[in-house]
Amino acid sequence: ECVHLPRPMEIPLGAVSFQVQTSGGLRFWGNTSVEITPVVDGVPSRTIRCHYRIHLYDNIVVAARPLQPETPLTAADVRLEEREIGTKGKRFFTRIDEVLGKVTARPVTIGRALERSMIKSKVVLQPGTLVTLVASVNGVEVKMEGTTLQPGREGEIIRVRNNSSRRIIRAKVIDATTVEVV
């Protein structure tokens, strides 16, 4: 989108080409200044400066229907839609398979772009679940039985009771049956 055009410029007849450069690089916020130098028969003419606002678009994952928290996402729940993302591109999902099987952290309205902060893994462990505690000590792996004391998602740190020592420890959820002592 051009936000400032220079006054018209006359150049002599001849073979015309242009040299174009941005002095500060492309900016996806505010204005980008572009310097254009017409070159006629190999001779540069007067440089003019234009100002543009650059709009960056990508296909991102949006809600295809209203979504409730903690409901596992399916292909019917989401769709790809082209949207302006500007400098916020890393906040959004660009592939549907990135969200399948995960859950929303809060209610999401239809058409809302799914941001990474809105999506989390589903709960795979409930309080009271028997799990295998895995601990690595100096390259030796030790396994024992434990009981979860709180719900847990893959990758989360939760409290688990070691069933043999009765100690409560912190462990990272690996899957629905295994946690790793941290």
PDB file of all heavy atoms in Angstrom, residues 1 3 24-33 51-57 84-89:
ATOM      1  N   GLU A   1       0.862  -1.155   0.000  1.00  0.00           N
ATOM      2  CA  GLU A   1       0.000   0.000   0.000  1.00  0.00           C
ATOM      3  C   GLU A   1       0.914   1.224   0.000  1.00  0.00           C
ATOM      4  O   GLU A   1       1.745   1.389   0.884  1.00  0.00           O
ATOM      5  CB  GLU A   1      -0.888  -0.067   1.238  1.00  0.00           C
ATOM      6  CG  GLU A   1      -1.444   1.220   1.674  1.00  0.00           C
ATOM      7  CD  GLU A   1      -2.140   1.094   3.039  1.00  0.00           C
ATOM      8  OE1 GLU A   1      -2.145   0.019   3.649  1.00  0.00           O
ATOM      9  OE2 GLU A   1      -2.670   2.105   3.462  1.00  0.00           O
ATOM     10  N   VAL A   3       1.800   4.884   0.717  1.00  0.00           N
ATOM     11  CA  VAL A   3       1.307   5.921   1.625  1.00  0.00           C
ATOM     12  C   VAL A   3       1.826   7.300   1.252  1.00  0.00           C
ATOM     13  O   VAL A   3       1.343   8.301   1.769  1.00  0.00           O
ATOM     14  CB  VAL A   3       1.666   5.594   3.097  1.00  0.00           C
ATOM     15  CG1 VAL A   3       0.902   4.384   3.571  1.00  0.00           C
ATOM     16  CG2 VAL A   3       3.151   5.414   3.291  1.00  0.00           C
ATOM     17  N   GLY A  24      16.401   1.063   4.839  1.00  0.00           N
ATOM     18  CA  GLY A  24      16.369   0.416   6.154  1.00  0.00           C
ATOM     19  C   GLY A  24      15.861  -1.005   6.092  1.00  0.00           C
ATOM     20  O   GLY A  24      15.519  -1.577   7.117  1.00  0.00           O
ATOM     21  N   GLY A  25      15.791  -1.604   4.912  1.00  0.00           N
ATOM     22  CA  GLY A  25      15.238  -2.951   4.782  1.00  0.00           C
ATOM     23  C   GLY A  25      13.718  -2.906   4.812  1.00  0.00           C
ATOM     24  O   GLY A  25      13.110  -1.853   5.003  1.00  0.00           O
ATOM     25  N   LEU A  26      13.098  -4.053   4.598  1.00  0.00           N
ATOM     26  CA  LEU A  26      11.636  -4.144   4.624  1.00  0.00           C
ATOM     27  C   LEU A  26      11.151  -4.141   6.058  1.00  0.00           C
ATOM     28  O   LEU A  26      11.700  -4.823   6.916  1.00  0.00           O
ATOM     29  CB  LEU A  26      11.169  -5.419   3.926  1.00  0.00           C
ATOM     30  CG  LEU A  26      11.484  -5.524   2.442  1.00  0.00           C
ATOM     31  CD1 LEU A  26      10.985  -6.862   1.902  1.00  0.00           C
ATOM     32  CD2 LEU A  26      10.879  -4.385   1.662  1.00  0.00           C
ATOM     33  N   ARG A  27      10.103  -3.363   6.311  1.00  0.00           N
ATOM     34  CA  ARG A  27       9.504  -3.304   7.643  1.00  0.00           C
ATOM     35  C   ARG A  27       8.049  -3.719   7.534  1.00  0.00           C
ATOM     36  O   ARG A  27       7.332  -3.238   6.671  1.00  0.00           O
ATOM     37  CB  ARG A  27       9.604  -1.887   8.203  1.00  0.00           C
ATOM     38  CG  ARG A  27      11.028  -1.491   8.486  1.00  0.00           C
ATOM     39  CD  ARG A  27      11.176  -0.073   8.933  1.00  0.00           C
ATOM     40  NE  ARG A  27      10.053   0.414   9.722  1.00  0.00           N
ATOM     41  CZ  ARG A  27       9.970   1.637  10.189  1.00  0.00           C
ATOM     42  NH1 ARG A  27      10.944   2.493   9.968  1.00  0.00           N
ATOM     43  NH2 ARG A  27       8.938   2.028  10.885  1.00  0.00           N
ATOM     44  N   PHE A  28       7.627  -4.615   8.427  1.00  0.00           N
ATOM     45  CA  PHE A  28       6.245  -5.069   8.432  1.00  0.00           C
ATOM     46  C   PHE A  28       5.420  -4.315   9.463  1.00  0.00           C
ATOM     47  O   PHE A  28       4.365  -4.743   9.865  1.00  0.00           O
ATOM     48  CB  PHE A  28       6.180  -6.575   8.683  1.00  0.00           C
ATOM     49  CG  PHE A  28       6.912  -7.355   7.626  1.00  0.00           C
ATOM     50  CD1 PHE A  28       8.059  -8.043   7.916  1.00  0.00           C
ATOM     51  CD2 PHE A  28       6.454  -7.359   6.325  1.00  0.00           C
ATOM     52  CE1 PHE A  28       8.741  -8.751   6.947  1.00  0.00           C
ATOM     53  CE2 PHE A  28       7.129  -8.059   5.335  1.00  0.00           C
ATOM     54  CZ  PHE A  28       8.262  -8.752   5.644  1.00  0.00           C
ATOM     55  N   TRP A  29       5.912  -3.213   9.932  1.00  0.00           N
ATOM     56  CA  TRP A  29       5.191  -2.299  10.800  1.00  0.00           C
ATOM     57  C   TRP A  29       5.588  -0.905  10.341  1.00  0.00           C
ATOM     58  O   TRP A  29       6.694  -0.690   9.870  1.00  0.00           O
ATOM     59  CB  TRP A  29       5.566  -2.531  12.268  1.00  0.00           C
ATOM     60  CG  TRP A  29       6.985  -2.154  12.559  1.00  0.00           C
ATOM     61  CD1 TRP A  29       7.440  -0.992  13.077  1.00  0.00           C
ATOM     62  CD2 TRP A  29       8.167  -2.925  12.285  1.00  0.00           C
ATOM     63  NE1 TRP A  29       8.805  -0.981  13.166  1.00  0.00           N
ATOM     64  CE2 TRP A  29       9.280  -2.161  12.684  1.00  0.00           C
ATOM     65  CE3 TRP A  29       8.388  -4.190  11.735  1.00  0.00           C
ATOM     66  CZ2 TRP A  29      10.587  -2.615  12.561  1.00  0.00           C
ATOM     67  CZ3 TRP A  29       9.694  -4.623  11.627  1.00  0.00           C
ATOM     68  CH2 TRP A  29      10.764  -3.841  12.037  1.00  0.00           C
ATOM     69  N   GLY A  30       4.729   0.018  10.407  1.00  0.00           N
ATOM     70  CA  GLY A  30       5.054   1.376   9.954  1.00  0.00           C
ATOM     71  C   GLY A  30       5.320   1.421   8.468  1.00  0.00           C
ATOM     72  O   GLY A  30       4.870   0.576   7.704  1.00  0.00           O
ATOM     73  N   ASN A  31       6.073   2.428   8.054  1.00  0.00           N
ATOM     74  CA  ASN A  31       6.346   2.630   6.632  1.00  0.00           C
ATOM     75  C   ASN A  31       7.728   2.120   6.247  1.00  0.00           C
ATOM     76  O   ASN A  31       8.663   2.183   7.030  1.00  0.00           O
ATOM     77  CB  ASN A  31       6.241   4.114   6.278  1.00  0.00           C
ATOM     78  CG  ASN A  31       4.838   4.640   6.445  1.00  0.00           C
ATOM     79  OD1 ASN A  31       3.883   3.888   6.368  1.00  0.00           O
ATOM     80  ND2 ASN A  31       4.704   5.929   6.685  1.00  0.00           N
ATOM     81  N   THR A  32       7.831   1.663   5.003  1.00  0.00           N
ATOM     82  CA  THR A  32       9.113   1.275   4.425  1.00  0.00           C
ATOM     83  C   THR A  32       9.436   2.290   3.342  1.00  0.00           C
ATOM     84  O   THR A  32       8.619   2.572   2.468  1.00  0.00           O
ATOM     85  CB  THR A  32       9.030  -0.133   3.794  1.00  0.00           C
ATOM     86  OG1 THR A  32       8.794  -1.074   4.840  1.00  0.00           O
ATOM     87  CG2 THR A  32      10.322  -0.495   3.079  1.00  0.00           C
ATOM     88  N   SER A  33      10.624   2.852   3.429  1.00  0.00           N
ATOM     89  CA  SER A  33      11.057   3.842   2.450  1.00  0.00           C
ATOM     90  C   SER A  33      11.748   3.113   1.296  1.00  0.00           C
ATOM     91  O   SER A  33      12.626   2.281   1.512  1.00  0.00           O
ATOM     92  CB  SER A  33      12.028   4.823   3.111  1.00  0.00           C
ATOM     93  OG  SER A  33      12.461   5.764   2.173  1.00  0.00           O
ATOM     94  N   HIS A  51       7.068   5.910  -0.050  1.00  0.00           N
ATOM     95  CA  HIS A  51       6.853   5.261   1.236  1.00  0.00           C
ATOM     96  C   HIS A  51       5.685   4.287   1.096  1.00  0.00           C
ATOM     97  O   HIS A  51       4.623   4.646   0.598  1.00  0.00           O
ATOM     98  CB  HIS A  51       6.552   6.285   2.334  1.00  0.00           C
ATOM     99  CG  HIS A  51       7.683   7.244   2.530  1.00  0.00           C
ATOM    100  ND1 HIS A  51       8.774   6.945   3.295  1.00  0.00           N
ATOM    101  CD2 HIS A  51       7.893   8.491   2.030  1.00  0.00           C
ATOM    102  CE1 HIS A  51       9.610   7.969   3.269  1.00  0.00           C
ATOM    103  NE2 HIS A  51       9.100   8.915   2.505  1.00  0.00           N
ATOM    104  N   TYR A  52       5.940   3.049   1.544  1.00  0.00           N
ATOM    105  CA  TYR A  52       4.942   1.993   1.442  1.00  0.00           C
ATOM    106  C   TYR A  52       4.687   1.374   2.805  1.00  0.00           C
ATOM    107  O   TYR A  52       5.569   1.316   3.654  1.00  0.00           O
ATOM    108  CB  TYR A  52       5.424   0.872   0.498  1.00  0.00           C
ATOM    109  CG  TYR A  52       5.528   1.308  -0.935  1.00  0.00           C
ATOM    110  CD1 TYR A  52       6.704   1.855  -1.431  1.00  0.00           C
ATOM    111  CD2 TYR A  52       4.451   1.174  -1.787  1.00  0.00           C
ATOM    112  CE1 TYR A  52       6.806   2.256  -2.751  1.00  0.00           C
ATOM    113  CE2 TYR A  52       4.540   1.564  -3.114  1.00  0.00           C
ATOM    114  CZ  TYR A  52       5.715   2.107  -3.586  1.00  0.00           C
ATOM    115  OH  TYR A  52       5.812   2.504  -4.891  1.00  0.00           O
ATOM    116  N   ARG A  53       3.489   0.895   2.972  1.00  0.00           N
ATOM    117  CA  ARG A  53       3.154   0.076   4.130  1.00  0.00           C
ATOM    118  C   ARG A  53       3.016  -1.337   3.590  1.00  0.00           C
ATOM    119  O   ARG A  53       2.207  -1.601   2.714  1.00  0.00           O
ATOM    120  CB  ARG A  53       1.857   0.541   4.786  1.00  0.00           C
ATOM    121  CG  ARG A  53       1.501  -0.350   5.970  1.00  0.00           C
ATOM    122  CD  ARG A  53       0.579   0.300   6.970  1.00  0.00           C
ATOM    123  NE  ARG A  53       1.332   1.336   7.676  1.00  0.00           N
ATOM    124  CZ  ARG A  53       0.861   2.559   7.909  1.00  0.00           C
ATOM    125  NH1 ARG A  53      -0.326   2.901   7.492  1.00  0.00           N
ATOM    126  NH2 ARG A  53       1.582   3.441   8.555  1.00  0.00           N
ATOM    127  N   ILE A  54       3.850  -2.243   4.090  1.00  0.00           N
ATOM    128  CA  ILE A  54       3.859  -3.619   3.600  1.00  0.00           C
ATOM    129  C   ILE A  54       2.905  -4.461   4.434  1.00  0.00           C
ATOM    130  O   ILE A  54       2.926  -4.417   5.665  1.00  0.00           O
ATOM    131  CB  ILE A  54       5.285  -4.198   3.653  1.00  0.00           C
ATOM    132  CG1 ILE A  54       6.183  -3.384   2.728  1.00  0.00           C
ATOM    133  CG2 ILE A  54       5.290  -5.671   3.269  1.00  0.00           C
ATOM    134  CD1 ILE A  54       7.640  -3.767   2.782  1.00  0.00           C
ATOM    135  N   HIS A  55       2.081  -5.238   3.749  1.00  0.00           N
ATOM    136  CA  HIS A  55       1.141  -6.145   4.403  1.00  0.00           C
ATOM    137  C   HIS A  55       1.602  -7.566   4.112  1.00  0.00           C
ATOM    138  O   HIS A  55       1.712  -7.962   2.956  1.00  0.00           O
ATOM    139  CB  HIS A  55      -0.283  -5.933   3.879  1.00  0.00           C
ATOM    140  CG  HIS A  55      -0.801  -4.558   4.144  1.00  0.00           C
ATOM    141  ND1 HIS A  55      -1.475  -4.234   5.301  1.00  0.00           N
ATOM    142  CD2 HIS A  55      -0.728  -3.418   3.424  1.00  0.00           C
ATOM    143  CE1 HIS A  55      -1.797  -2.949   5.272  1.00  0.00           C
ATOM    144  NE2 HIS A  55      -1.352  -2.430   4.147  1.00  0.00           N
ATOM    145  N   LEU A  56       1.872  -8.343   5.167  1.00  0.00           N
ATOM    146  CA  LEU A  56       2.346  -9.717   5.027  1.00  0.00           C
ATOM    147  C   LEU A  56       1.200 -10.668   5.347  1.00  0.00           C
ATOM    148  O   LEU A  56       0.580 -10.568   6.399  1.00  0.00           O
ATOM    149  CB  LEU A  56       3.522  -9.963   5.981  1.00  0.00           C
ATOM    150  CG  LEU A  56       4.151 -11.344   5.929  1.00  0.00           C
ATOM    151  CD1 LEU A  56       4.749 -11.610   4.552  1.00  0.00           C
ATOM    152  CD2 LEU A  56       5.230 -11.462   6.997  1.00  0.00           C
ATOM    153  N   TYR A  57       0.929 -11.578   4.417  1.00  0.00           N
ATOM    154  CA  TYR A  57      -0.168 -12.532   4.560  1.00  0.00           C
ATOM    155  C   TYR A  57       0.382 -13.953   4.582  1.00  0.00           C
ATOM    156  O   TYR A  57       1.426 -14.231   4.008  1.00  0.00           O
ATOM    157  CB  TYR A  57      -1.152 -12.411   3.390  1.00  0.00           C
ATOM    158  CG  TYR A  57      -1.941 -11.133   3.401  1.00  0.00           C
ATOM    159  CD1 TYR A  57      -1.406  -9.958   2.884  1.00  0.00           C
ATOM    160  CD2 TYR A  57      -3.217 -11.098   3.934  1.00  0.00           C
ATOM    161  CE1 TYR A  57      -2.134  -8.782   2.900  1.00  0.00           C
ATOM    162  CE2 TYR A  57      -3.950  -9.923   3.950  1.00  0.00           C
ATOM    163  CZ  TYR A  57      -3.401  -8.765   3.427  1.00  0.00           C
ATOM    164  OH  TYR A  57      -4.116  -7.604   3.448  1.00  0.00           O
ATOM    165  N   GLU A  84      -3.778 -11.475   7.194  1.00  0.00           N
ATOM    166  CA  GLU A  84      -2.613 -10.615   7.378  1.00  0.00           C
ATOM    167  C   GLU A  84      -1.999 -10.950   8.731  1.00  0.00           C
ATOM    168  O   GLU A  84      -2.688 -10.990   9.743  1.00  0.00           O
ATOM    169  CB  GLU A  84      -2.997  -9.141   7.338  1.00  0.00           C
ATOM    170  CG  GLU A  84      -1.804  -8.233   7.451  1.00  0.00           C
ATOM    171  CD  GLU A  84      -2.137  -6.759   7.249  1.00  0.00           C
ATOM    172  OE1 GLU A  84      -3.314  -6.432   7.038  1.00  0.00           O
ATOM    173  OE2 GLU A  84      -1.206  -5.952   7.315  1.00  0.00           O
ATOM    174  N   ILE A  85      -0.682 -11.208   8.729  1.00  0.00           N
ATOM    175  CA  ILE A  85      -0.023 -11.596   9.980  1.00  0.00           C
ATOM    176  C   ILE A  85       1.003 -10.574  10.435  1.00  0.00           C
ATOM    177  O   ILE A  85       1.415 -10.594  11.588  1.00  0.00           O
ATOM    178  CB  ILE A  85       0.636 -12.983   9.861  1.00  0.00           C
ATOM    179  CG1 ILE A  85       1.671 -13.004   8.745  1.00  0.00           C
ATOM    180  CG2 ILE A  85      -0.409 -14.058   9.687  1.00  0.00           C
ATOM    181  CD1 ILE A  85       2.520 -14.234   8.733  1.00  0.00           C
ATOM    182  N   GLY A  86       1.459  -9.704   9.544  1.00  0.00           N
ATOM    183  CA  GLY A  86       2.434  -8.685   9.926  1.00  0.00           C
ATOM    184  C   GLY A  86       3.638  -9.290  10.600  1.00  0.00           C
ATOM    185  O   GLY A  86       4.192 -10.287  10.147  1.00  0.00           O
ATOM    186  N   THR A  87       4.036  -8.742  11.734  1.00  0.00           N
ATOM    187  CA  THR A  87       5.210  -9.237  12.455  1.00  0.00           C
ATOM    188  C   THR A  87       4.863 -10.369  13.413  1.00  0.00           C
ATOM    189  O   THR A  87       5.727 -10.880  14.096  1.00  0.00           O
ATOM    190  CB  THR A  87       5.852  -8.099  13.282  1.00  0.00           C
ATOM    191  OG1 THR A  87       4.874  -7.619  14.206  1.00  0.00           O
ATOM    192  CG2 THR A  87       6.335  -6.983  12.397  1.00  0.00           C
ATOM    193  N   LYS A  88       3.593 -10.765  13.461  1.00  0.00           N
ATOM    194  CA  LYS A  88       3.143 -11.760  14.437  1.00  0.00           C
ATOM    195  C   LYS A  88       3.095 -13.170  13.867  1.00  0.00           C
ATOM    196  O   LYS A  88       2.434 -14.040  14.423  1.00  0.00           O
ATOM    197  CB  LYS A  88       1.760 -11.369  14.951  1.00  0.00           C
ATOM    198  CG  LYS A  88       1.740 -10.013  15.602  1.00  0.00           C
ATOM    199  CD  LYS A  88       0.334  -9.605  15.936  1.00  0.00           C
ATOM    200  CE  LYS A  88       0.315  -8.179  16.451  1.00  0.00           C
ATOM    201  NZ  LYS A  88      -1.033  -7.681  16.598  1.00  0.00           N
ATOM    202  N   GLY A  89       3.768 -13.426  12.768  1.00  0.00           N
ATOM    203  CA  GLY A  89       3.692 -14.712  12.087  1.00  0.00           C
ATOM    204  C   GLY A  89       3.996 -15.920  12.938  1.00  0.00           C
ATOM    205  O   GLY A  89       3.361 -16.957  12.808  1.00  0.00           O
TER     206      GLY A  89
END
